[in-house]
Amino acid sequence: GAVVSQHPSWVICKSGTSVKIECRSLDFQATTMFWYRQFPKQSLMLMATSNEGSKATYEQGVEKDKFLINHASLTLSTLTVTSAHPEDSSFYICSARDPGLAGAGNEQFFGPGTRLTVL
Amino acid sequence: AQSVTQPDIHITVSEGASLELRCNYSYGATPYLFWYVQSPGQGLQLLLKYFSGDTLVQGIKGFEAEFKRSQSSFNLRKPSVHWSDAAEYFCAVAQASGGSYIPTFGRGTSLIVHP
């Protein structure tokens, strides 16, 4: 199946700094990628939909100026958490859709996640 | 708006015992339904999905799920659990949008397997 990677897998940063998380589709081109946030023992919450070559679409309540998303190529989307604070500490997961797959609906393939800890 | 309820936060079973994880959804039309598994520190892996047709869906790793419209349920089952099945399980519902979908996830059920 299609593989999605994330880098880094774990990052610790100081409050006020910015952190960039990369999401890559390794063996397919993804026109659409998604960014989720997962708090401990909770569900995944969709933050934004990232479309290659255009602006990301953010879910209600997600600050687009804080969570900057760039989808500059068909295999890479980045999420930058700007001026991170302890409350931004979370598990961030990306997923990518393989438009080359047939069938009703395009399955999303999930990355392994990035654990962000803001001190 | 669509929503998913997984009423059990934790489920504990003995290895070799049968398993059923509950999932109820709320959605106006015929939903797309999914079960994902997440191992510690890992991303989500799709176990199975229901779009239409046969209401009993077979998935990977010996899992199956049954769509019951009258009960708005999509429970996950496995006849004999292995220790490696210990993980977090997420049920999800989605609506179709332009030939694809964006799932809404339940809060997850943590499966604990005793030897």
Side-chain angles (χ1 to χ4, degrees), chain A residues 34 36 38 41-46 49 59 91 93 97 103-113 115, chain B residues 10 32 36 38 41-46 49 51 88 90 97 99-108 110:
Chain A
F34 304 88
Y36 294 84
Q38 184 182 27
K41 301 299 182 184
Q42 294 195 28
S43 180
L44 281 73
M45 301 299 296
L46 180 65
T49 302
E59 295 299 300
F91 195 53
I93 301 175
R97 181 173 291 156
N106 300 122
E107 179 178 345
Q108 290 187 34
F109 296 92
F110 287 82
R115 184 161 302 286
Chain B
H10 305 283
Y32 289 174
Y36 289 88
Q38 183 183 34
Q42 307 264 332
L44 273 67
Q45 181 183 22
L46 180 66
K49 61 189 176 188
F51 286 161
E88 194 82 16
F90 292 94
S97 175
S100 58
Y101 59 83
I102 298 175
T104 297
F105 291 88
R107 67 175 177 179
S110 180

Side-chain angles (χ1 to χ4, degrees), chain B residues 45 50 55:
Chain B
Q45 181 183 22
Y50 171 81
T55 56

Side-chain angles (χ1 to χ4, degrees), chain B residues 34-104:
Chain B
F34 311 84
W35 275 100
Y36 289 88
V37 61
Q38 183 183 34
S39 297
Q42 307 264 332
L44 273 67
Q45 181 183 22
L46 180 66
L47 287 176
L48 47 78
K49 61 189 176 188
Y50 171 81
F51 286 161
S52 64
D54 194 346
T55 56
L56 184 62
V57 182
Q58 301 298 321
I60 62 171
K61 304 184 178 186
F63 286 93
E64 68 177 25
E66 186 170 12
F67 169 55
K68 293 186 177 180
R69 184 188 300 275
S70 61
Q71 299 177 20
S72 297
S73 69
F74 189 57
N75 294 347
L76 181 71
R77 301 193 294 249
K78 186 169 184 178
S80 177
V81 170
H82 188 262
W83 64 267
S84 60
D85 293 324
E88 194 82 16
Y89 291 81
F90 292 94
C91 181
V93 63
Q95 64 183 45
S97 175
S100 58
Y101 59 83
I102 298 175
T104 297

